[in-house]
Amino acid sequence: MQSLTNRAKPVDRRPMSFVEKLYLPAIARGMGITMKHLFKRKATIPFPEKRREFSPVFRGLHVLNRDEEGRERCTACGLCAVACPAEAITMEAAERKPGEENLYREEKYAARYEINMLRCIFCGFCEEACPKDAVYMSETFPPSAYQRTTFIYGKEDLLIPNPKTGK
Amino acid sequence: MTLLSIDWFFILEKIALIAAVLMLSLVVAMYSTWGERKVAAWIQDRFGPNRAGFMGLFQPLADGGKLFFKEEIIPTNSNKFLFILGPSIAMVVACMTSAVIPWGDTLTIAGREVSLQVADVNIGILFIFAVVGMGVYGIMIGGWASNNKYSLLASVRAASQIISYELPMGLALIALLMWTGTLSLKEIVEQQRHGMWNVWYQPLGFLIFLICAFAECNRAPFDLPEAENELNGGYHLEYSSMKLGFFLFAEYINMFISSALMATMYFGGYAFPGMDSLGVSPNLLTILGFFALFIKVLLFIFFFMWVRWTLPRFRYDQLMRLGWRVLIPLALFNMLATGATVLYLHR
């Protein structure tokens, strides 16, 4: 049979020789291997003190972005919800009233914007689909919680603080 | 009147020594649990306990506290007396062997010669066999008293394992006895102090003894009495809180004691190379000797752990085959060869 990779090794089915039957050389070799691991770099990190750096392409928790003046970028176009393969995003659009120009960037905005983190698969399609640069995936992961309902993130959980007022 | 007069200092000295040895075994056993977790972690590229205190050094205290405060359950249909007796026997037996191990040479305190050995009985090795053989009662009673078929099966297995490995262990020691010509552990050490360590004369015997010590301590790869895969956890399945702790603790004490035994019988005990040419005071030399023994013991304990995290567990029939069909003939051969050598040398 042709092997798929060049790493295939034929199985040695010869009866064991006397030295092999002693097992002691094999045991000694195994002990050598474990001894080497004693001095290897640890694969784990002491978590709360040290945190592992994320890779640059890490897709973490979503944030809803604001523009320089602190206005919400999202126009509730729904493209993220359409792009979402897990159907985790729901939203309701509303129209901007006069006097709310400092709150919302365009005439339409998301009155309700929810991401169900239990459904989300962090594929990043929402980020790619967004034409307004409103939804981004940050470098944090969702904190643990005791109730399923707390995993449905609303706007108050997702919106980043206003760069002007800081809230 | 001389029969009735009691040497109170002697009694006090022995009591102090017993207390010290017991404390030492308990502390070493306690920190062996910590060491085991650390060694396991290092071998598996982890850190191991590092939360409680520096390097997790308070971890054994936390574990002990947890075991003490856990709910204690005695199964309704168990034999309560035996159920409590089981872990107690395991613990007592584990501690008893330490009595005949020479922890050091003699100290001279206020003109009195104080031997750092609780009892220098001239049948030390026989005593060890008698006591180690009793260790199986703890496991057997524990498994029986639980009134649980699975614990019983596990304890039967444990019993037959310990008995099977006692035989080659004894045979390996008989070869050592033939070589040294004494049953007293102190004398065995003294012989090695002036000559070579016994491991050079009895390498095969040492190997057999080492393997049997692993089996007697129920350490991996012979930890079949703890049969969590096939018998839900082994002979201590029904035990909880500190009674379970006693069983586990006894294992670590056993490990400590058998390490000390191996160091004493095959690796020169408290003797270390060049100790008589150091030219320090005898008391200091005794203390140094104690530390030499302690280092050897710690190395053996590390070896126990190292093996545990390297080798997978035996299958039960493999275990039995190794004991009866490999180790016993080997030990017999070793005995024969030693006997022939001794005969040849003394002719």
Side-chain angles (χ1 to χ4, degrees):
Chain A
M1 199 181 86
Q2 195 197 348
S3 69
L4 294 172
T5 62
N6 54 3
R7 285 174 303 201
K9 272 187 191 169
V11 181
D12 188 358
R13 292 193 197 280
R14 276 175 303 175
M16 287 196 285
S17 68
F18 176 72
V19 178
E20 282 171 331
K21 268 189 196 158
L22 279 181
Y23 286 109
L24 289 176
I27 288 173
R29 213 161 339 125
M31 307 270 287
I33 290 170
T34 41
M35 184 48 111
K36 258 187 252 157
H37 276 269
L38 221 57
F39 306 105
K40 273 199 178 157
R41 201 176 66 87
K42 310 295 177 213
T44 49
I45 46 168
F47 166 62
E49 293 89 31
K50 282 189 201 144
R51 283 167 196 253
R52 200 180 288 284
E53 278 182 29
F54 291 119
S55 88
V57 293
F58 180 80
R59 295 191 294 260
L61 197 60
H62 311 70
V63 290
L64 280 178
N65 215 354
R66 293 176 192 267
D67 66 1
E68 316 69 53
E69 292 162 42
R71 300 178 297 187
E72 290 174 22
R73 282 173 173 271
C74 180
T75 61
C77 64
L79 280 178
C80 51
V82 171
C84 182
E87 301 188 358
I89 305 179
T90 49
M91 67 185 70
E92 266 171 29
E95 202 175 332
R96 186 175 70 185
K97 301 262 170 9
E100 288 181 335
E101 284 85 358
N102 60 331
L103 291 177
Y104 311 112
R105 190 181 165 101
E106 313 214 358
E107 287 86 30
K108 207 173 109 194
Y109 70 95
R112 199 165 66 88
Y113 191 98
E114 279 176 1
I115 303 181
N116 187 339
M117 290 298 169
L118 294 169
R119 303 198 60 143
C120 178
I121 55 172
F122 297 92
C123 61
F125 283 3
C126 48
E127 189 182 11
E128 277 178 38
C130 185
K132 297 289 181 189
D133 280 351
V135 58
Y136 273 102
M137 297 185 90
S138 63
E139 291 200 336
T140 51
F141 32 80
S144 53
Y146 290 104
Q147 281 148 359
R148 296 177 72 85
T149 49
T150 47
F151 278 110
I152 297 173
Y153 280 46
K155 246 171 89 175
E156 62 278 11
D157 305 309
L158 295 166
L159 263 179
I160 61 165
N162 192 325
K164 282 215 163 146
T165 59
K167 301 194 267 195
Chain B
M1 272 314 281
T2 43
L3 275 179
L4 283 174
S5 68
I6 298 167
D7 188 354
W8 286 106
F9 281 106
F10 181 76
I11 288 174
L12 277 179
E13 169 199 317
K14 288 300 175 198
I15 286 173
L17 200 59
I18 290 168
V21 168
L22 273 184
M23 281 301 289
L24 183 76
S25 335
L26 292 182
V27 168
V28 169
M30 217 165 94
Y31 274 92
S32 298
T33 62
W34 171 84
E36 174 109 67
R37 291 176 61 180
K38 273 288 187 195
V39 170
W42 288 335
I43 284 177
Q44 295 165 354
D45 299 338
R46 302 183 277 117
F47 282 93
N50 60 355
R51 295 287 122 182
F54 174 69
M55 295 258 292
L57 275 175
F58 294 138
Q59 192 67 42
L61 301 179
D63 289 346
K66 188 197 102 180
L67 281 176
F68 271 112
F69 288 114
K70 259 175 105 166
E71 188 185 357
E72 188 145 5
I73 294 167
I74 297 180
T76 323
N77 291 324
S78 67
N79 184 327
K80 284 189 188 54
F81 175 68
L82 290 181
F83 193 78
I84 296 167
L85 192 67
S88 322
I89 288 182
M91 195 73 176
V92 168
V93 166
C95 293
M96 255 161 77
T97 331
S98 60
V100 291
I101 295 175
W103 298 98
D105 208 352
T106 49
L107 279 175
T108 313
I109 301 170
R112 284 182 61 89
E113 289 263 304
V114 179
S115 171
L116 286 186
Q117 184 180 14
V118 175
D120 183 11
V121 285
N122 52 8
I123 50 155
I125 291 179
L126 280 183
F127 174 81
I128 285 167
F129 268 100
V131 172
V132 167
M134 270 174 46
V136 71
Y137 281 96
I139 290 174
M140 199 65 214
I141 287 175
W144 166 258
S146 308
N147 199 10
N148 176 327
K149 291 184 190 68
Y150 295 103
S151 324
L152 183 63
L153 274 174
S155 64
V156 166
R157 272 169 43 153
S160 48
Q161 172 185 333
I162 290 181
I163 289 165
S164 305
Y165 278 82
E166 197 114 318
L167 289 168
M169 192 184 215
L171 292 175
L173 278 189
I174 285 174
L176 182 76
L177 297 185
M178 285 155 105
W179 186 257
T180 56
T182 176
L183 278 163
S184 153
L185 286 168
K186 175 102 179 170
E187 246 182 86
I188 291 178
V189 175
E190 285 299 320
Q191 282 178 7
Q192 296 176 74
R193 179 172 177 164
H194 303 298
M196 294 265 268
W197 287 354
N198 281 333
V199 68
W200 296 112
Y201 301 121
Q202 289 284 334
L204 185 60
F206 169 67
L207 188 69
I208 294 166
F209 188 86
L210 182 75
I211 294 172
C212 296
F214 274 91
E216 295 273 316
C217 296
N218 302 329
R219 291 287 299 181
F222 304 102
D223 57 346
L224 289 143
E226 292 175 42
E228 61 266 351
N229 302 332
E230 62 271 39
L231 295 175
N232 301 342
Y235 61 93
H236 48 49
L237 168 63
E238 298 285 0
Y239 282 87
S240 56
S241 79
M242 206 52 207
K243 287 213 231 26
L244 172 69
F246 268 21
F247 271 131
L248 303 183
F249 210 61
E251 179 190 321
Y252 283 97
I253 298 178
N254 274 330
M255 197 164 80
F256 173 59
I257 297 297
S258 46
S259 300
L261 266 181
M262 279 190 282
T264 305
M265 292 194 295
Y266 289 99
F267 281 86
Y270 55 78
F272 54 92
M275 73 185 297
D276 288 312
S277 54
L278 270 181
V280 291
S281 71
N283 273 358
L284 185 61
L285 198 62
T286 301
I287 291 166
L288 283 179
F290 170 74
F291 280 112
L293 175 63
F294 203 68
I295 287 167
K296 286 171 196 170
V297 168
L298 289 186
L299 284 178
F300 267 114
I301 290 178
F302 173 75
F303 185 76
F304 267 92
M305 291 169 180
W306 184 14
V307 168
R308 172 167 179 184
W309 297 103
T310 305
L311 297 182
R313 183 179 289 159
F314 275 75
R315 215 170 53 208
Y316 198 68
D317 61 315
Q318 292 171 334
L319 173 98
M320 280 295 158
R321 197 181 330 136
L322 179 70
W324 287 91
R325 289 177 53 182
V326 179
L327 289 182
I328 291 180
L330 262 183
L332 282 171
F333 166 76
N334 186 42
M335 216 167 96
L336 192 73
T338 313
T341 318
V342 169
L343 199 65
Y344 177 76
L345 288 177
H346 286 257
R347 195 177 46 179

